[in-house]
Amino acid sequence: MATVTATANASHDLSRAPSVITLKGVNKWYGQFHVLSDINLDVKQGERIVICGPSGSGKSTLIRCINRLEEHQRGDISVHGVTLSNDVKNIEAIRRDVGMVFQSFNLFPHLTILDNLTLAPIWVKKTPKKEAEEIAMSLLKRVRIPEQANKYPGQLSGGQQQRVAIARALCMRPKIMLFDEPTSALDPEMVKEVLDVMIELAKEGMTMLCVTHEMGFARAVADRVIFMDRGEIVEQNAPEEFFAHPKNERTKTFLGQILHH
Amino acid sequence: MTDVPAGERQQLPPPATDSGALGWLRRNLFSSWGNAITTVVLLFLLLWLVTSFLNWAVVNAVWTAPNGQACRGHGACWALIHEKYRFIFFGTFPYEQQWRPLLAVIIMIVMLVTSADRRMWNQRLLWIWGTGSFLTFLLMFGQIHIPLGLILFVALAVGGLGMLLRSTVAKPTEIAGWRTLAAIGAIGIVLRLTGVLPPWSLALAPFSYVETSLWGGLPVTLILATYGLVFAFPYGILLALGRRSNLPLIKGLCVGFIELIRGVPLISLLIMASVMLPLFLPTGMSIDKFLRALVAVIFFAGAYIAEIIRGGLQSLPKGQFEAADAMGLNYFQKTTLIILPQALRVVIPPLINTFIGFFKDTSLVLIIGIFDFLNAANQALVDPNWAGFPSEVYLFAAFVYFCFCFSMSRYSKYLEVELNKGTRR
């Protein structure tokens, strides 16, 4: 499948932006199950991509391959020109640049919110403690929960925890953010507060890859929507085109299922 | 029914018969005729048991007596304990020197109690244990000769650990200090091995020398249990981490060790350490019997602790590992900052359970002729002058064991609450 660069939209011209993530012929199997088959993807700097698809289609696996939480077996993945291999140095270099937000938050329950945020800057980036705490507090203000800094994750609501998780990822000053179904584990009334933070982030020009079924979010911020099924990229297009005129039958069925239920 | 709108109804108190002391009695002890009769009968039985025990142990007890004959026909013969307590506590340690093991026991208890406090969990712990252990062994041995090689090795180990653990937080000058220390140790060891440095040793000899075969009683139990577990604990952590390693060789070694050690009784391990090990050592070389027992205890406890900690590691959600990975933490940081703090919290109850078990299991060293507290108490019964009062001695021993074990159990409870502060909703 040919790589399609995002169609430029008026507010957000990516035609001259450099590529930051390149996947070439990526394949992965879980045992006999072919979870990613021949994925080609090129992500520009500042591009916002939404990946959707039925469960088991490989969309989570795809973004988890980018920071090597999953190992791909064939093909090349490179981030900022660094090609992923078994070399731990390369993996750590990529992980420093790539922030990730998980479906189940994965905050560290034994640390306070502030310690959750400062841990990686202090230990991985060797930022002085005081400076790390200042950065952490400014990020907590940005996600609108500075007053929770000294609480433990268990004392926060799901929406607050997910916002902390976003702030924690941002603490490392990543150039790329991966979101793995960030709102799927939330109660409905909390989805908006998390999406608002993500929309703000998108407006600031962060490169984002987001696995989600929030089609409103896709319409609002995505430069490109990718539909995956059975381990393949079936269709990708700018959101207006993607939702108005889906080309593939499988895309039509999927959109029919999630938009009119 | 009422027609008060929802949300404005008054909160009613529970029915009187269900609350208060009377309510509790009625619910739990006198809920039916059968239960009422059972309650009364059991109360009488309990009363009878307690009074007859108190009659024996307090009212009719003999507190002082010249010998066992004077005790006959009365209640408990506490005179025996009065007569033999020093032997029970300190075994065959030279009688006039027994203030030394007493002081050693006190130091060890102080050391254990202070390090139990969570506020002490920092570098202070190293100082407490360093000084405490040094004083304990100095008092027990009386004289210590520290070979130069050991001093150099400690310098290397401390310097190396300092470099490793403080690498991310220390100032360059501090790191330079650790480096110098490690370098002195390393160079010194090389010079010592090549024979440039003489086989000198630092002699500390304030008291008369008492060899380990004369040690006995409570200090032996405490030393075996404390140092056995203090070394077994980090060893068990390493085994548990090794068992989950992706490297087949390390994993295989750890699994093999754990299964081998768990597969044999502690007694057989102790016998191996005392009888078979000397056969393999070159002639003329001998390792102290006490040390061999200690190593056997460390191996044995290490294998059990490893399996408990593995349970804790497995209980952590995969997401914790992934989040740590995604943030770019390396294996060492991930393990010490994220995984172990959580895994160890989960396994506090089974861990303390094992500690209590090993505290008592140290009595098995009797097999190889070491007299710990219980075995010293047993020996006290052998005196023909005081024959025939085993219950008093065993009750006394049980009481002392209970004090230690119950404290550990309470400490486990405290630790659970303390470490989970705030992490629960």
Side-chain angles (χ1 to χ4, degrees):
Chain A
M1 175 167 294
T3 315
V4 182
T5 331
T7 49
N9 70 37
S11 61
H12 197 234
D13 184 10
L14 293 163
S15 54
R16 270 190 271 166
S19 302
V20 285
I21 304 174
T22 328
L23 281 78
K24 278 196 196 114
V26 171
N27 280 275
K28 178 172 175 61
W29 290 263
Y30 286 134
Q32 290 296 307
F33 181 60
H34 200 173
V35 61
L36 291 180
S37 85
D38 207 21
I39 301 285
N40 291 296
L41 182 67
D42 190 64
V43 183
K44 300 280 184 195
Q45 188 169 359
E47 190 174 5
R48 282 97 53 156
I49 294 179
V50 164
I51 305 171
C52 59
S55 75
S57 58
K59 52 198 192 306
S60 283
T61 310
L62 172 64
I63 66 166
R64 288 159 60 89
C65 278
I66 293 171
N67 65 350
R68 198 59 164 202
L69 288 183
E70 305 280 353
E71 198 175 324
H72 61 281
Q73 282 127 335
R74 214 188 290 157
D76 285 316
I77 299 179
S78 66
V79 180
H80 285 296
V82 180
T83 305
L84 267 176
S85 62
N86 282 323
D87 188 347
V88 181
K89 283 267 175 297
N90 280 357
I91 297 174
E92 283 175 0
I94 286 173
R95 284 175 178 169
R96 273 196 293 274
D97 275 354
V98 179
M100 184 157 195
V101 175
F102 299 87
Q103 180 178 0
S104 48
F105 326 139
N106 295 345
L107 295 176
F108 304 130
H110 63 299
L111 300 176
T112 62
I113 301 304
L114 191 62
D115 288 340
N116 262 283
L117 264 69
T118 56
L119 186 105
I122 289 176
W123 289 91
V124 179
K125 279 193 156 176
K126 323 284 184 212
T127 315
K129 191 164 185 241
K130 200 156 167 283
E131 195 186 323
E133 281 176 356
E134 278 162 16
I135 298 173
M137 284 312 295
S138 74
L139 282 166
L140 282 179
K141 281 199 194 88
R142 225 167 101 186
V143 299
R144 294 184 282 280
I145 34 176
E147 70 283 359
Q148 313 283 3
N150 293 312
K151 289 195 183 164
Y152 287 90
Q155 297 165 306
L156 270 56
S157 73
Q160 290 173 324
Q161 289 195 47
Q162 193 60 297
R163 283 185 280 153
V164 170
I166 295 173
R168 178 175 72 174
L170 292 177
C171 262
M172 288 291 282
R173 300 259 179 262
K175 300 191 181 78
I176 298 163
M177 285 285 284
L178 307 175
F179 292 85
D180 189 0
E181 306 205 29
T183 54
S184 303
L186 295 175
D187 290 336
E189 77 268 24
M190 293 171 181
V191 169
K192 186 174 176 296
E193 64 189 51
V194 172
L195 288 181
D196 283 348
V197 169
M198 290 168 63
I199 290 170
E200 251 173 59
L201 198 59
K203 281 181 186 151
E204 286 162 21
M206 176 68 75
T207 311
M208 292 165 74
L209 268 85
C210 187
V211 173
T212 184
H213 292 151
E214 295 294 334
M215 292 304 137
F217 172 78
R219 280 205 180 90
V221 303
D223 297 305
R224 179 163 34 142
V225 181
I226 293 177
F227 174 67
M228 282 184 75
D229 191 21
R230 294 176 219 161
E232 303 170 304
I233 294 181
V234 175
E235 186 168 347
Q236 49 184 328
N237 217 329
E240 312 84 62
E241 269 303 295
F242 181 85
F243 291 113
H245 312 289
K247 294 184 182 67
N248 194 290
E249 270 316 305
R250 283 192 271 174
T251 319
K252 283 178 196 162
T253 322
F254 176 75
L255 286 177
Q257 278 161 349
I258 65 164
L259 295 177
H260 320 282
H261 55 78
Chain B
M1 291 307 289
T2 57
D3 47 6
V4 182
E8 288 174 29
R9 289 199 187 95
Q10 270 191 329
Q11 294 259 322
L12 297 175
T17 46
D18 277 358
S19 59
L22 268 176
W24 185 88
L25 275 179
R26 181 179 297 183
R27 251 199 336 276
N28 293 297
L29 299 177
F30 298 98
S31 55
S32 70
W33 273 106
N35 284 355
I37 291 169
T38 316
T39 302
V40 173
V41 169
L42 285 178
L43 266 182
F44 273 109
L45 208 66
L46 197 68
L47 209 64
W48 176 76
L49 268 175
V50 170
T51 46
S52 44
F53 177 76
L54 283 180
N55 271 333
W56 175 80
V58 181
V59 181
N60 296 325
V62 181
W63 301 92
T64 49
N67 56 45
Q69 281 307 315
C71 277
R72 306 235 178 264
H74 298 281
C77 185
W78 299 124
L80 166 60
I81 306 295
H82 189 257
E83 178 76 15
K84 295 285 185 189
Y85 76 98
R86 285 184 61 169
F87 184 81
I88 297 176
F89 274 121
F90 305 121
T92 49
F93 205 90
Y95 193 77
E96 65 286 356
Q97 294 280 320
Q98 282 181 359
W99 61 271
R100 278 162 48 186
L102 174 65
L103 208 54
V105 166
I106 292 173
I107 289 173
M108 288 184 70
I109 291 176
V110 169
M111 193 163 85
L112 290 169
V113 169
T114 47
S115 49
D117 190 339
R118 203 188 165 191
R119 281 165 300 180
M120 292 293 187
W121 293 3
N122 43 41
Q123 278 103 328
R124 260 181 284 181
L125 216 55
L126 271 182
W127 292 111
I128 292 172
W129 278 79
T131 4
S133 309
F134 176 72
L135 288 176
T136 302
F137 285 103
L138 187 64
L139 283 164
M140 291 303 289
F141 279 112
Q143 305 182 351
I144 294 181
H145 297 270
I146 309 168
L148 184 59
L150 183 65
I151 298 174
L152 292 168
F153 179 76
V154 170
L156 176 63
V158 170
L161 274 180
M163 271 161 62
L164 191 68
L165 296 178
R166 305 276 298 163
S167 61
T168 47
V169 278
K171 293 191 179 69
T173 45
E174 189 189 327
I175 293 293
W178 294 121
R179 281 218 183 106
T180 322
L181 195 62
I184 291 173
I187 295 168
I189 287 174
V190 173
L191 291 180
R192 177 70 194 87
L193 287 178
T194 49
V196 179
L197 288 173
W200 177 83
S201 70
L202 179 67
L204 292 161
F207 315 115
S208 60
Y209 184 72
V210 177
E211 58 182 21
T212 53
S213 58
L214 292 176
W215 296 9
L218 195 56
V220 167
T221 297
L222 276 181
I223 289 176
L224 278 179
T226 310
Y227 290 97
L229 292 172
V230 160
F231 286 107
F233 185 57
Y235 182 54
I237 290 178
L238 288 181
L239 280 177
L241 291 173
R243 188 164 188 168
R244 285 170 61 90
S245 165
N246 292 328
L247 305 170
L249 180 68
I250 291 181
K251 184 175 177 167
L253 281 176
C254 290
V255 172
F257 181 86
I258 291 171
E259 296 302 339
L260 193 71
I261 297 284
R262 275 204 312 175
V264 297
L266 178 55
I267 290 188
S268 69
L269 212 59
L270 287 168
I271 293 176
M272 287 248 283
S274 86
V275 181
M276 288 180 63
L277 195 63
L279 297 180
F280 297 117
L281 289 175
T283 41
M285 185 180 170
S286 76
I287 302 175
D288 189 90
K289 185 165 73 177
F290 192 79
L291 184 63
R292 277 177 284 166
L294 191 59
V295 170
V297 168
I298 292 172
F299 277 7
F300 202 70
Y304 275 83
I305 290 171
E307 284 300 281
I308 290 174
I309 291 173
R310 185 166 71 102
L313 293 173
Q314 277 171 349
S315 76
L316 291 192
K318 212 171 138 225
Q320 293 290 311
F321 294 84
E322 287 177 351
D325 280 338
M327 289 161 75
L329 297 176
N330 62 33
Y331 178 80
F332 183 75
Q333 293 165 338
K334 176 172 72 169
T335 308
T336 53
L337 297 170
I338 308 297
I339 304 307
L340 282 180
Q342 293 187 62
L344 293 181
R345 260 162 240 241
V346 178
V347 297
I348 290 169
L351 209 53
I352 302 273
N353 182 37
T354 308
F355 283 12
I356 291 176
F358 271 98
F359 181 75
K360 294 176 294 182
D361 280 355
T362 50
S363 292
L364 292 174
V365 293
L366 167 75
I367 288 291
I368 56 171
I370 295 174
F371 287 92
D372 82 319
F373 183 66
L374 184 64
N375 301 325
N378 221 350
Q379 281 292 303
L381 290 171
V382 175
D383 187 343
N385 274 333
W386 292 90
F389 300 101
S391 355
E392 284 83 345
V393 171
Y394 287 133
L395 212 58
F396 178 68
F399 174 72
V400 174
Y401 272 107
F402 180 79
C403 288
F404 281 100
C405 295
F406 189 63
S407 327
M408 280 195 259
S409 159
R410 296 314 298 172
Y411 179 58
S412 153
K413 189 90 191 155
Y414 154 84
L415 212 54
E416 261 177 86
V417 174
E418 179 70 26
L419 291 182
N420 287 325
K421 246 181 212 170
T423 55
R424 290 211 188 106
R425 210 177 252 263

